[in-house]
Structure formats: C-alpha cells, structure tokens
Amino acid sequence: MTAVSLNSTGQVFPVSPLVLLRPGDAGGIFITEEALVKCLNLLADAINVQHDQQTQFEASATNRLDALKTRMAALEDEFVRVDETTARQAEVVKTQAADVQLMKKRIEEQILVIAAKAAEMTEVDRRMKLMERVVAGSKTEVAQLKTSAQQQLTALT
C-alpha cells in the first residue's frame, strides 16, 4: 500500500511506507497505515523493553533490599551476641574484682599476723639477749666464786 500527498502546487507524489514521517510542502506530516502500524509496534517494543528493564531493576532492588535486611538481621544478632558476651564478661570481671578484694583482705590479715609474730620474736630475742647477759654475768660470778673458793681452800690447807 502506498500513500500519496498533494503539495501546495497540486502535484501528487507517493509517500514511501518505509518512511515513518515525511513533512509535506504545506507543513503537514503524512504517514501511511503500514508506517503507523510499524511505529506502534516499535513503540510497543520500546514499552516492553522499558517494562522488562523496570521489572529487572525492581527485582534487583528487591534482592539488594532483601540482602540488606538479611545483613541487618545478622548484624542485630551479632550485636545481641556481643552485648550478651560483654554482660557475661562484666560479671566475670565483677567476680574477679570481688576475689581480688577478698585476697587483699586475707593478705592484710596475714601481714598483721606476721607483724604480731615479728613483734613476739623481737620480744623473745630481747629476752634471750637479757638471759644471755644474765647467764654471762652468772658465769662471771660463778668463776669468781670458784676462784674465791679455791683461794679459801688453799688458805685452809
């Protein structure tokens, strides 16, 4: 099928069905039915391609959103685990701090016992030295008595 156009001078010329749009001499645009069908088919194809691209984009966006939701849920789970671990570690630290305080108290008590023993030992040492002096004095006195006794015994004989 071929369409014809009439220009402003009255001349008739064919319009090719392969040309979609062709301006006329009078400023009009002429299109054949075949060209119109082809144009509509191309437009439908373009709409289908656009729809397919939109569907692919939406599927991709949905997949990315699902992946982000999954990652977010994993991060929330990890946060809960870390929070629970931190709480357990805090309890362990509290228990260890209490144990350290108890050990510190025991050490302080042992230091007091050792200090008391040291004071006792110092007193015992002082008494021992006093006894040594007394014994030394007694030895000297015994030696003097012995010497005096021998002198008396010699004087008697």
Side-chain angles (χ1 to χ4, degrees), residues 32-47:
T32 65
E33 182 180 341
E34 290 173 30
L36 181 60
V37 169
K38 188 174 184 180
C39 181
L40 291 174
N41 286 336
L42 288 174
L43 184 59
D45 290 343
I47 289 171

Side-chain angles (χ1 to χ4, degrees), residues 59-150:
S60 174
T62 300
N63 289 340
R64 282 186 266 149
L65 182 61
D66 290 344
L68 286 172
K69 285 179 181 177
T70 302
R71 180 69 178 135
M72 189 73 154
L75 287 173
E76 287 173 357
D77 290 345
E78 182 66 21
F79 178 75
V80 167
R81 282 192 296 276
V82 166
D83 195 38
E84 290 170 352
T85 300
T86 303
R88 282 192 304 270
Q89 289 172 343
E91 288 300 317
V92 168
V93 168
K94 285 180 186 176
T95 303
Q96 289 174 342
D99 291 346
V100 166
Q101 289 299 322
L102 183 61
M103 289 187 332
K104 180 181 174 186
K105 184 178 177 182
R106 287 181 183 162
I107 289 170
E108 288 171 349
E109 290 171 354
Q110 290 174 354
I111 288 171
L112 291 175
V113 168
I114 290 170
K117 295 276 185 189
E120 267 182 50
M121 293 302 290
T122 303
E123 181 61 25
V124 167
D125 189 45
R126 187 185 66 76
R127 286 184 184 173
M128 290 290 289
K129 286 180 182 176
L130 184 62
M131 293 296 279
E132 285 174 359
R133 278 190 244 138
V134 169
V135 169
S138 295
K139 282 182 182 179
T140 304
E141 196 177 315
V142 167
Q144 288 173 351
L145 287 173
K146 186 177 174 184
T147 304
S148 172
Q150 281 178 350

